[in-house]
Amino acid sequence: MKKRRVELFQFNDFETISQHLSRMAEKGWMLEETGSFFWTYRQEEPARRHYTVVYNRDASDFSPGPTEEQQTYRDYCRAAGWEYVCNWNKNEIFVSDRENPVPIESDERVKLENSWEGLKKLVFRNYSLIVVLILIQWASFGWLYCQSPDQYLSNGPLLASSVLWLMLLIYLLFVMVDTALWYRSAKRAVEAGGRCPQGNYRLRKMMACWMMVCSAAAVLFTLWWVLKQENRWIMLPSMGVILLSMGLGFLLRKKLKKTGVSAKRNLILVMIFQLLVMFAAISALVWWGISAIEARQEAGSIPYTVTNNDRTITFTLYRDQLPLTLEDLGYEVDKDIYSYRLDQSSSPVFSKLEGDQDSYASLAGEETWDLSYTVYRSLWSDPLDRLTAEWQERNDQLEWEQPGTTEREDLATLWGAQRAWSDGGREMMIRYPKCLLLLRTDVQLKEEQVEIIRQKLNLDFQAEE
């Protein structure tokens, strides 16, 4: 009988790992295989056994077998009563059933320097690179927030990934600082003639568990967000691409190990294979997604042809359910010549709703009205401030066409808002504490129509805050 356990050890938890494996052996569970998170145990008769963890620079999860030097080292350990069990990253795990086995590493100074050699590569070299990549990623998030706060904040998976990157950054920095402090205290202890101290395993495990909880929460939130989207039938397979690549890469690594491929070549082949799988899968999904979206749009839309100056132009009329229409404002319109299009996106901190009711019949000389609006809602004011400034700047640059933006107190009073602006034409912006309305229409709104808009777009509660 076998079982798998989640083990959250750090690279230098040598004594903690040894003691843990000895306790598991006393319960009848012997270590068989290690993994990144899951370790496999097989059930045997309970026995008192001693385990030890030794750093070996030649050890690798991609290696098909021990090198000549590794085999010589294992033979030396076997002669001393230690049997090789398995390797974990660059560490090798040995077990002994003797009552008082001779330690493999008796010189604490050599043991510390060997451990530090592995820690410098794993923690400070590899983790430093990841930290730099995370900072670059966060710089891109910051740039996107400054340029388009609505696109960034209304994208649930993007926000979840931002939080996850931040949690990973905190965790990696914790590991690096914790490792540096451990080495400093261990060096002092060894120089004083003592042994290498154990690290704070409880704190390390708590941080690792916190990281796993954050990762699981981010994945579950992304899945929940995707299931709410209309194009979830595209997004769900996209999420599975990464799992597919990781799973196939794991199987390929084990296959190459069995066939005797060297560790370096195994690593390169697995990385190339995973990249090719992801590229092929994403390319197929993009092609399928674009085709499916176009088919769905064609199924939910109607072609409309307009003749203007002997030119024939074909437009697409959409039939989405809008929260606010010209009909709600008391206008009688011919629905057959109007397009009703709705786009919306949201996250727990921000939402964006865009509605357009347009008629292209005006190109043929017919008298029509248009209505277009965008509603932004945010938990804090900075995104709305940025969107307001962006709208003002854009309109002020068009002063040769229109007089630019003007703040109007009478308009704010009419809408029951904090502030309001008009571009002197058909566009206005209404600001509430946690809501921003951008309205474009060529009709003159009356007081009762403004009240209808506030109710239909759920603006009343914003005015009361």
Side-chain angles (χ1 to χ4, degrees):
M1 181 179 176
K2 297 182 180 181
K3 73 173 181 178
R4 304 181 73 191
R5 282 172 49 103
V6 176
E7 305 292 8
L8 303 175
F9 296 111
Q10 295 293 340
F11 184 85
N12 57 337
D13 286 332
F14 307 114
E15 294 297 328
T16 304
I17 295 173
S18 300
Q19 295 172 8
H20 167 74
L21 295 178
S22 296
R23 289 194 298 268
M24 292 293 290
E26 291 176 357
K27 298 177 182 179
W29 294 102
M30 312 302 169
L31 178 66
E32 184 174 273
E33 186 180 15
T34 63
S36 300
F37 296 103
F38 293 97
W39 289 21
T40 304
Y41 299 84
R42 67 177 182 276
Q43 190 172 30
E44 294 183 3
E45 290 294 326
R48 180 175 176 79
R49 297 186 177 183
H50 298 275
Y51 283 84
T52 188
V53 182
V54 181
Y55 170 75
N56 189 322
R57 67 172 63 90
D58 296 326
S60 172
D61 291 333
F62 292 86
S63 178
T67 63
E68 184 176 349
E69 292 182 359
Q70 284 180 288
Q71 189 59 54
T72 301
Y73 184 76
R74 292 177 186 178
D75 292 340
Y76 159 78
C77 293
R78 183 180 297 107
W82 294 96
E83 292 291 335
Y84 170 78
V85 179
C86 61
N87 67 283
W88 174 54
N89 293 325
K90 292 279 184 187
N91 293 322
E92 291 187 329
I93 300 176
F94 293 86
V95 62
S96 175
D97 54 7
R98 294 184 181 181
E99 185 65 27
N100 294 301
V102 178
I104 295 178
E105 293 179 320
S106 56
D107 190 330
E108 290 293 321
R109 187 181 300 273
V110 174
K111 180 179 179 180
L112 176 61
E113 293 306 318
N114 287 339
S115 302
W116 183 239
E117 179 184 350
L119 288 170
K120 284 191 295 185
K121 293 180 180 179
L122 175 65
V123 176
F124 294 98
R125 185 187 66 183
N126 297 349
Y127 285 8
S128 296
L129 177 60
I130 298 175
V131 167
V132 171
L133 294 176
I134 292 176
L135 293 177
I136 294 175
Q137 183 67 56
W138 258 92
S140 67
F141 289 150
W143 178 86
L144 180 59
Y145 175 80
C146 293
Q147 296 296 317
S148 303
D150 54 324
Q151 294 184 17
Y152 174 66
L153 294 176
S154 62
N155 190 318
L158 189 59
L159 275 182
S161 67
S162 302
V163 175
L164 186 58
W165 282 119
L166 177 61
M167 293 297 103
L168 180 59
L169 175 63
I170 294 174
Y171 175 71
L172 293 179
L173 292 176
F174 163 78
V175 173
M176 294 172 70
V177 172
D178 176 71
T179 301
L181 294 176
W182 172 84
Y183 176 69
R184 187 176 66 175
S185 63
K187 188 175 182 181
R188 290 176 179 175
V190 170
E191 289 176 350
R195 300 184 59 187
C196 292
Q198 297 187 39
N200 192 336
Y201 172 67
R202 289 187 177 181
L203 179 59
R204 294 174 176 179
K205 185 176 181 179
M206 182 182 69
M207 289 295 294
C209 289
W210 171 246
M211 186 63 211
M212 292 185 66
V213 169
C214 291
S215 301
V219 171
L220 291 176
F221 170 76
T222 302
L223 182 61
W224 169 79
W225 187 90
V226 166
L227 291 174
K228 292 177 58 179
Q229 306 306 306
E230 183 179 358
N231 56 346
R232 55 185 175 273
W233 38 274
I234 299 177
M235 295 184 176
L236 284 175
S238 301
M239 294 177 63
V241 169
I242 298 178
L243 297 177
L244 174 66
S245 173
M246 293 175 60
L248 293 178
F250 174 76
L251 295 177
L252 178 63
R253 187 189 73 180
K254 297 190 69 173
K255 181 66 176 178
L256 293 176
K257 285 180 65 174
K258 291 182 179 179
T259 55
V261 177
S262 65
K264 185 176 182 180
R265 183 173 297 180
N266 189 334
L267 174 62
I268 295 175
L269 290 175
V270 169
M271 292 180 62
I272 294 176
F273 174 77
Q274 288 180 320
L275 289 174
L276 290 176
V277 169
M278 291 186 65
F279 176 78
I282 292 176
S283 299
L285 283 171
V286 169
W287 175 82
W288 172 61
I290 293 176
S291 302
I293 289 176
E294 291 176 349
R296 288 172 65 91
Q297 288 180 343
E298 291 178 0
S301 61
I302 302 172
Y304 181 73
T305 303
V306 175
T307 302
N308 184 13
N309 296 328
D310 297 328
R311 292 180 58 194
T312 300
I313 308 174
T314 301
F315 297 93
T316 300
L317 302 184
Y318 296 91
R319 290 292 179 259
D320 298 335
Q321 294 293 324
L322 296 179
L324 174 68
T325 63
L326 288 167
E327 295 92 309
D328 296 326
L329 301 179
Y331 292 93
E332 295 184 2
V333 300
D334 184 0
K335 294 184 179 181
D336 293 336
I337 64 173
Y338 274 86
S339 175
Y340 299 77
R341 185 162 187 172
L342 176 67
D343 289 312
Q344 53 186 340
S345 56
S346 65
S347 72
V349 299
F350 193 91
S351 66
K352 176 182 178 181
L353 182 147
E354 294 181 280
D356 290 286
Q357 185 179 359
D358 300 316
S359 173
Y360 303 104
S362 58
L363 297 176
E366 297 187 29
E367 183 180 2
T368 61
W369 300 277
D370 292 334
L371 177 64
S372 179
Y373 48 88
T374 304
V375 182
Y376 305 97
R377 304 185 194 277
S378 176
L379 291 184
W380 65 93
S381 61
D382 184 69
L384 304 181
D385 294 338
R386 292 179 180 275
L387 291 168
T388 301
E390 178 186 345
W391 178 80
Q392 290 176 307
E393 181 180 358
R394 183 177 66 250
N395 282 277
D396 289 341
Q397 292 174 352
L398 301 177
E399 290 189 8
W400 59 275
E401 289 185 349
Q402 54 195 35
T405 59
T406 304
E407 184 168 1
R408 294 174 51 185
E409 293 184 4
D410 60 323
L411 198 60
T413 302
L414 176 64
W415 284 84
Q418 286 182 320
R419 304 176 69 182
W421 296 264
S422 171
D423 66 355
R426 60 191 299 268
E427 191 167 326
M428 66 184 70
M429 178 167 280
I430 313 298
R431 175 66 185 272
Y432 295 98
K434 295 183 180 180
C435 177
L436 188 65
L437 169 65
L438 176 60
L439 183 66
R440 295 173 292 274
T441 181
D442 50 11
V443 301
Q444 295 295 326
L445 296 175
K446 301 177 182 179
E447 184 175 351
E448 56 270 20
Q449 292 174 321
V450 170
E451 186 64 26
I452 292 174
I453 295 175
R454 291 176 55 184
Q455 293 178 3
K456 290 289 185 179
L457 298 182
N458 198 20
L459 302 178
D460 279 343
F461 78 97
Q462 298 289 350
E464 296 173 358
E465 295 185 6

